[in-house]
Amino acid sequence: MSAEEKSTSRQWRGVIREYADRLDVTDATPIVTLGEGGTPLIPAPALSARTGAKVYVKYEGMNPTASFKDRGMTMAISKAAEHGAKAVICASTGNTSASAAAYAAYAGLTSVVLVPDGNIAMGKLSQAVAHNAEILQVKGNFDDCLDIARDLADNYPVHLVNSVNPDRIAGQKTAAFEVVEALGDAPDFHIVPVGNAGNYTAYFRGYSEDLAVGNSTKLPRMFGFQAAGSAPIVRGEVVRNPDTIASAIRIGNPASWALALDAHKTSDGYFGAISDTLILEAHRLLSTEVGIFVEPASAISVAGLLERSAAGAIPAGATVVLTVTGHGLKDPQWALRRADGSTVAPTVVPVDTAEIAAVLGLQKVPA
């Protein structure tokens, strides 16, 4: 690297400092950041070849706690600290708990996490434990947890940091700014997993703001996908007992439902449901053909792309961005399962070069 190149490089400062002029912050706002944002937008040639579109993957698993939640949490915790909060609370299927606990720890705040009993991936629970959150497993589902968290925040001295908090959506919209900066314009389509629907709402808001100030020339069509066993928006009704292997989107009554419907209408968007079988197929495809390891909920973006492409809804040559929301190490068990349900295990070999070469099907190079 030349001296000139070195002089222009700089440390990414986190989404609040990078986009302070586009967020509700002032000099009085204590900035609580772990360096979130600035995640890569990765071209996906294998997916482009399958669909005829120009496909990119926004890899949000590269955030500090390995999910997109950090973008919103930096805002939520910063504003909580500005308002004098001493404790924060959230309901979570896992990623929110990890993020809230980490950012609260940095800010010196107490964090309380309500998780559904038996419905949280250990990779995510371990993060909340590591960051010293007070973790309570509620004998109910995520929606029960969120109802209680909202009630506690309304009546007790704790600050709610779920996506019903508008600061969360504000922080998450910055991902759309990054996409526009990377591509030079908004994509034709943007595809996201949908659980609470906050990210669907946030991307649309970010793209709308970029269009309004002239940073882009269009709004992308927003495509959102829910797991078939947890698809309230697709079905048009609350799902009382949501069921899917994609734990991050196992939500039966999305908090941002109404906002997402508005975004869907304005962007000429689409909501679809994908089976667990197709989610896991997409999970393996993304790992083996694109080199990106995600938790199952994230892979629904890939499954949705393939389904819509097969349906003829995505024209050849269109620019498509897929958001994958969480790193595969959040919920790694699925990578160890074959398509037939059996468990993957290493092949045991002796300490013998010739035998290892034979197992690999290698022929010795002639001398």
Side-chain angles (χ1 to χ4, degrees), residues 17-360:
R17 290 192 175 97
E18 295 291 338
Y19 299 109
D21 59 334
R22 307 180 70 177
L23 297 168
D24 179 26
V25 294
T26 68
D27 291 342
T29 307
I31 298 177
V32 180
T33 179
L34 293 171
E36 63 294 317
T39 56
L41 184 67
I42 304 170
L47 296 178
S48 296
R50 285 173 175 266
T51 61
K54 292 177 287 188
V55 182
Y56 297 84
V57 177
K58 184 63 168 165
Y59 193 11
E60 290 290 88
M62 299 302 287
N63 276 296
T65 74
S67 88
F68 77 99
K69 302 288 187 176
D70 295 344
R71 290 182 182 275
M73 204 58 68
T74 183
M75 275 292 293
I77 299 295
S78 294
K79 297 298 283 187
E82 181 179 352
H83 296 147
K86 302 300 181 186
V88 297
I89 190 169
C90 69
S92 180
T93 56
N95 283 328
T96 299
S97 69
S99 187
Y103 281 78
Y106 187 95
L109 305 179
T110 298
S111 60
V112 180
V113 174
L114 305 182
V115 299
D117 188 21
N119 280 317
I120 179 172
M122 288 300 102
K124 302 171 188 179
L125 183 61
S126 66
Q127 288 180 282
V129 170
H131 298 305
N132 204 33
E134 179 72 30
I135 303 167
L136 303 177
Q137 285 194 304
V138 177
K139 294 180 179 178
N141 59 30
F142 169 83
D143 302 302
D144 298 319
C145 293
L146 182 56
D147 287 344
I148 294 169
R150 295 174 89 160
D151 195 16
L152 287 168
D154 286 343
N155 296 288
Y156 298 85
V158 291
H159 191 93
L160 185 65
V161 293
N162 277 101
S163 59
V164 292
N165 180 333
D167 296 323
R168 281 278 309 279
I169 303 298
Q172 287 168 212
K173 74 182 180 183
T174 60
F177 300 161
E178 292 176 20
V179 171
V180 171
E181 289 168 4
L183 296 178
D185 202 349
D188 298 307
F189 299 86
H190 194 114
I191 302 178
V192 296
V194 175
N196 246 337
N199 222 22
Y200 185 96
T201 302
Y203 271 101
F204 173 75
R205 186 170 299 175
Y207 284 127
S208 298
E209 291 182 11
D210 260 345
L211 179 63
V213 299
N215 291 338
S216 62
T217 65
K218 60 192 173 188
L219 282 177
R221 294 187 65 191
M222 294 295 304
F223 282 16
F225 289 90
Q226 298 183 297
S230 180
I233 296 178
V234 176
R235 291 169 52 175
E237 61 183 3
V238 172
V239 176
R240 297 296 176 190
N241 295 296
D243 182 28
T244 173
I245 54 91
S247 61
I249 55 173
R250 191 189 292 132
I251 295 170
N253 187 15
S256 297
W257 192 332
L259 292 172
L261 288 179
D262 289 342
H264 168 272
K265 181 178 180 180
T266 305
S267 76
D268 188 23
Y270 176 83
F271 286 118
I274 301 290
S275 70
D276 281 1
T277 298
L278 291 179
I279 290 172
L280 290 178
E281 287 181 7
H283 181 265
R284 286 186 287 271
L285 187 156
L286 190 61
S287 295
T288 59
E289 296 190 15
V290 185
I292 296 176
F293 185 30
V294 299
E295 62 177 315
S298 295
I300 202 171
S301 293
V302 178
L305 166 72
L306 299 177
E307 188 275 332
R308 286 290 83 197
S309 177
I314 298 177
T319 299
V320 183
V321 172
L322 314 179
T323 291
V324 292
T325 47
H327 198 285
L329 293 176
K330 291 279 193 173
D331 198 357
Q333 62 170 312
W334 301 104
L336 301 176
R337 296 190 186 185
R338 295 187 178 91
D340 62 6
S342 62
T343 300
V344 176
T347 301
V348 179
V349 294
V351 185
D352 186 292
T353 301
E355 290 202 31
I356 291 174
V359 169
L360 295 174

